[in-house]
Amino acid sequence: MARKKIVFVIVEGVSEQDALGAILSNIYDKDTAWVQVLRKDITSEYGGDPSNILSKLGNEVRSYANTYRLKKGDFKEIIHIVDMDGAYIPNENIVEDESAES
């Protein structure tokens, strides 16, 4: 039997990790693929902008691969899932609630 390949999924938060990790694990054949979910918001971390997102993604994949001594051929797919978090909401529609505790 061939060695399992990794489906490497990068999501922003714990809710995406919980919801999508289970779903994706059910989509891929358990005999041929292993779904690994990394929770990291690459698009909004310090120093991130549209011009360097691909290099930041590459760095995350390389870091993971180096940690577990993996090669390019060990990966089946790399999936990066982001949400828009109000990206298209005009500033005049954003309201700060001063009474909110968290």
Side-chain angles (χ1 to χ4, degrees), residues 10-58:
I10 302 170
V11 298
E12 289 183 0
V14 70
S15 60
E16 293 93 351
Q17 180 181 17
D18 292 346
L20 298 173
I23 291 169
L24 291 170
S25 291
N26 288 330
I27 290 174
Y28 290 95
D29 180 3
K30 289 174 180 38
D31 293 330
T32 61
W34 178 59
V35 176
Q36 176 61 44
V37 179
L38 171 68
R39 189 185 64 191
K40 185 161 188 171
D41 191 352
I42 294 171
T43 58
S44 67
E45 68 183 6
Y46 181 76
D49 63 57
S51 69
N52 65 8
I53 295 302
L54 287 178
S55 66
K56 287 181 163 292
L57 284 169

Side-chain angles (χ1 to χ4, degrees), residues 2 8-9 14-15 17 19 25 28 42 61 72 74 78 81 87 92:
F8 192 63
V9 184
V14 70
S15 60
Q17 180 181 17
S25 291
Y28 290 95
I42 294 171
V61 174
K72 182 178 178 179
D74 293 323
I78 298 169
I81 299 173
E92 62 268 11

Side-chain angles (χ1 to χ4, degrees), residues 74-92:
D74 293 323
F75 292 89
K76 177 179 179 65
E77 293 178 18
I78 298 169
I79 302 169
H80 183 213
I81 299 173
V82 297
D83 59 43
M84 300 307 287
D85 287 340
Y88 299 106
I89 296 174
N91 286 341
E92 62 268 11

